[in-house]
Amino acid sequence: MANRFADWRSLSFRSLVSRSPRSVAGQVFVLQVALVVLLVVAGVFALVLQSDRDTNAEAKRRSVAVAETFAHSPGVVAALESPDPSKILQPLTEAARKAAGVDFIVVLDTKGIRYTHPLPNLIGKQFVGTIGPSLEGKVYTESVQGPLGREVQATVPIDNADGKVVGLVSAGLKVKNVASQVTRQLPIILGAGAGALVVATAGTALVGRRLRRQTHSLAPDEMTRMYDHHDTVLHSVREGVLIIDGGGRLMLANDEARRLLELPPDVEGHLVSELSSLDPETAALLDSGREVTDEVHFAGDRLLAVNQRHTDSDGGPVGTVVTLRDSTELRAVTGRAETARERLKLLYDAGLGIGTTLDVLRTADELAQVAVPRFADFVTVDLADAVLRGEEPAPTPTGMRRTAVYGIRDDHPLYEEGRLIDFLPSTPQARGYGSGHAELVAELSTATGWHAQDPERTKRIMDYGIHTLIAAPIQARGVVLGMANFWRSEQHEPFDEEELSLAEELVARAAVSIDNARRYTREHALAVTLQRSLLPRALPEQSALDVGYRYLPAQSGVGGDWFDVIPLSGCRVALAVGDVVGHGLHAAATMGRLRTAVHNFSSLDLPPDDLLSHVDDLVGRIDQDESGTESATGIVGATCLYAIYDPVTRRCVVARAGHLAPALVLPDGTVTFLDLPTGPPLGLGGLPFQTAELDLPDGAQLVLYTDGLIEDRRRDLDVSMELLRQALSGHPDRSPEESCQAVLDELLPERPKDDVALLIARTHGLSRDRIADWDVPLDPAAVAGMRDAVARKLDEWGLSELAFSVELILSELITNAIRYGSEPIHVRLIHDRTLICEVADGSSTSPHLRYAATMDEGGRGLFLVSQIAERWGTRYTPQGKVIWAEQALPEVSGPAAAPMEEEAPDRDGAQGEDAQGGGAEKTDEDLA
């Protein structure tokens, strides 16, 4: 408002100039130029007339002088009296004419007859002109049409000694000669007039330019309208306007300014410092010229908002323009509006700041923090303990857990966070919980029901200065979840009814978020429970790998990431990692189905590529079965990696179905990412899977993971892979558990967006002294020799207690291989956590267990094996099959306590011994 008058003035000038056809300055300039031209023309005309008059006068004067001089010349009278005057006077007159510079000198008698003339033929003829006055003795001048043309002539008498006129003399000039003299003077006169016109016009232009600047090129009607508007605005506006020059002198004050400041009528022209009616502070401000905006000053009982701006910012005169606004009544309204604005801003911020996560505790904290200190000095949030577990709250305010405490100070005496509180029915919290409406306690010192809850603590609260309370129920869907308590200390006024409504609105916004978080907590707990039940609860016992793992559910809920460690026959261990796209119960259930399928197919001892093919077929059938249902979602984007590690050969076979390639950490700490054949994701069908075989040294670490570990919107995939490399490299002695934690700390944020499965396995090769193997000829007599060789090896290992059962198992298996199999036949014993007996042959036919009838002669061999061994089975190899059986070791197994070695010795095969006695009991196992 401070520059309103100046802005209005400049805008009016510009707009009027753009519309004005002829400004005041232009009109004055044209008028001045016209006057100058008129004056110059009049002056030139006057000079011409004056020159003509002066020339004629000069001609008459010269004519008179020449005529008188000749009339009084000696000898003229004598010549007139002579017999022939013309003879004497004609030469004299011509000489005198030429000497005097006149056109003619004529001597004539008293009758007007010429004695002389420049034209001799006119001598003796009558004189043209008036001679009467001259005969009377007078000098007479006239202009006549004479023999020479238009003439100006003077006639004078010639007197004799007696004074008698004896003749006349006329001298004169032709009019055209007189006019030629005037013509010769005209260029000078006109040049002087033109110079005067130029000088006068230039002066007029300078004056007009100055006038144009001063009037801003305004037309007369526009200037009139502008000043009419100026007066109207100044004297009609509801704001006071003062204009003060650079010397502190008041140049203008409109009617409103006079009224607000109670100024006298003749105030213009006085110094501001001399105005006694002004408040000293206001007078000092006006005199200082300092720029201010809405600065409040008192003028009597009025409260004025003062704006002051400089007037010379746009090239105007030095000074200030001041606007005054009476804000006495507006201030009270503004205070109420400001309070309403602050409350709306609080509700707006609450809508943005409360419920940013689906976490009950975090939402309660956000409610407390948004209200302090803008609404309350302290805020406590008490929720039913069941709400924190995702359950429905109890109908009574018992078992309330204090979930949030926030205030302007930390030394308050309120109940601490985490405390379980049972509110008495007389407390405002209990009343609000039961009624569903907020309770206002304007003065806590008089609230006896509140004192009954904890008299000692309530006294401490009162002594601390907390004096007022609003207890608002946190209610959603008609169910009260808890109470939000707003406390104020001595620095603020007690709560009122309007603030009670504000508290209810504030808590209502938080209640929906808390209820959503509670329901999410319940659903998340169910999903996590389901997923945990589907994931491995504990790693199986095995000696081939030292395994560490981590599973982190996503922030938004459980997902479909999974892993598994599956012991296989022959001390081998299978590692599996998979991922199902999506989150929630469906992803978790799908993950469980895939993990179960992988676990079941692994029990068949299938190679990785065959196992993934079976799983791929299964996923395809699942999609087909569910495609007809209304809620069918199918299995989209499922991936899997399956690896089998053999500690005997120290070889790992890997295949993957659309999954990320694993990392390999060598014993020296270097890290590489394996280049494996990439198979399609599960469920696509039609494309085969390929395997890759790796020879792993002892102490190498195989790192399997899901995409949630390395995929992050904030960085490229290459950057994540490099971070994974850095987290794994350089620590060869670190355990897999420590490596898992280091990788998560390096790559993951505090709350990952996607679920993560990480599996790190360190390899341990089986020592060569824990392995024994023999080649067996295709001869039933070789069975006895194998029993003796096996017995000696068991004695060497300290497992003599197992000799009988092992010999029986091997006898049955070797006999079946000799009878129904084909060469080569090979026997291997592995001393690990169990004693493993393996018989391999070149046939792909598989025996199967059956129950023999009482009168059957065979069919009991594998039955005996199944009864003696803890586990047995068949696995297929590219060369045939292997039938294996495991037996538990005795409790004190001697060297079996440490079956693995850091570095295996060279393999030394052992040949089967010749048969030395009776053969094994004959069996006739049916062939599959």
Side-chain angles (χ1 to χ4, degrees), residues 617-902:
D617 293 340
L618 176 63
V619 171
R621 288 196 300 271
I622 292 174
D623 286 342
Q624 291 178 359
D625 295 341
E626 294 183 351
S627 62
T629 62
E630 295 182 358
S631 60
T633 56
I635 302 176
V636 181
T639 64
C640 182
L641 185 144
Y642 189 77
I644 298 177
Y645 173 69
D646 188 349
V648 177
T649 63
R650 295 176 174 81
R651 178 163 293 182
C652 182
V653 183
V654 187
R656 58 174 174 155
H659 203 79
L660 298 169
L664 177 63
V665 184
L666 297 176
D668 60 358
T670 59
V671 179
T672 59
F673 292 97
L674 301 180
D675 186 11
L676 304 179
T678 303
L682 299 174
L684 296 183
L687 297 176
F689 298 96
Q690 302 179 41
T691 61
E693 295 189 5
L694 311 170
D695 291 324
L696 302 181
D698 284 352
Q701 296 185 60
L702 199 61
V703 182
L704 285 69
Y705 51 90
T706 57
D707 57 0
L709 180 68
I710 59 173
E711 291 183 356
D712 194 326
R713 296 179 181 177
R714 299 170 299 177
R715 58 175 180 255
D716 294 336
L717 182 61
D718 294 340
V719 176
S720 297
M721 298 298 287
E722 183 59 29
L723 290 176
L724 177 59
R725 182 194 303 275
Q726 295 175 5
L728 293 171
S729 63
H731 302 280
D733 299 330
R734 190 167 59 188
S735 67
E737 283 290 334
E738 294 173 340
S739 296
C740 286
Q741 190 60 46
V743 168
L744 296 185
D745 292 343
E746 181 69 24
L747 273 79
L748 292 186
E750 181 180 356
R751 299 175 66 86
K753 300 292 184 182
D754 194 7
D755 48 346
V756 176
L758 175 64
L759 186 67
I760 300 180
R762 172 175 286 167
T763 62
H764 294 289
L766 191 63
S767 175
R768 285 300 305 147
D769 59 0
R770 317 294 289 185
I771 305 170
D773 52 0
W774 301 269
D775 289 328
V776 180
L778 192 64
D779 184 2
V783 176
M786 285 305 305
R787 287 201 300 265
D788 293 340
V790 168
R792 287 194 298 270
K793 179 55 72 173
L794 292 179
D795 290 341
E796 180 183 338
W797 286 343
L799 301 176
S800 301
E801 299 178 18
L802 300 178
F804 176 78
S805 59
V806 172
E807 289 179 14
L808 181 58
I809 291 173
L810 285 177
S811 295
E812 295 298 334
L813 296 181
I814 294 174
T815 300
N816 278 345
I818 293 173
R819 174 177 295 182
Y820 302 108
S822 61
E823 292 184 319
I825 301 174
H826 189 79
V827 175
R828 184 170 70 173
L829 291 182
I830 301 174
H831 183 194
D832 190 25
R833 293 180 180 273
T834 60
L835 182 63
I836 304 172
C837 305
E838 295 182 347
V839 176
D841 66 81
S843 173
S844 296
T845 58
S846 175
H848 64 276
L849 181 66
R850 69 186 182 92
Y851 294 95
T854 304
M855 301 303 293
D856 289 345
E857 294 183 359
R860 299 177 178 85
L862 285 182
F863 179 77
L864 292 176
V865 171
S866 66
Q867 296 300 310
I868 297 172
E870 285 196 347
R871 292 195 312 151
W872 76 279
T874 303
R875 71 173 181 270
Y876 294 91
T877 66
Q879 296 78 25
K881 67 177 180 297
V882 175
I883 301 176
W884 53 271
E886 291 184 5
Q887 283 188 286
L889 299 179
E891 293 184 1
V892 180
S893 58
M900 296 296 175
E901 64 173 358
E902 292 298 326

Side-chain angles (χ1 to χ4, degrees), residues 364 367-368 372 376 378-383 402-407 412 414-417 421 423 429 469-472 474 483-487:
L367 170 60
V372 176
F378 301 92
V379 176
T380 59
V381 179
D382 305 319
L383 296 177
R402 179 141 292 180
T403 54
V405 180
Y406 195 75
H412 56 79
L414 301 171
Y415 283 135
E416 67 278 3
E417 185 176 338
I421 308 171
F423 287 107
Q429 288 87 352
L469 163 69
I470 289 179
I474 303 173
M483 298 295 296
N485 307 297
F486 302 93
W487 314 80

Side-chain angles (χ1 to χ4, degrees), residues 570-587:
C571 294
R572 296 172 307 132
V573 179
L575 300 175
V577 172
D579 185 8
V580 177
V581 173
H583 297 92
L585 292 177
H586 182 267

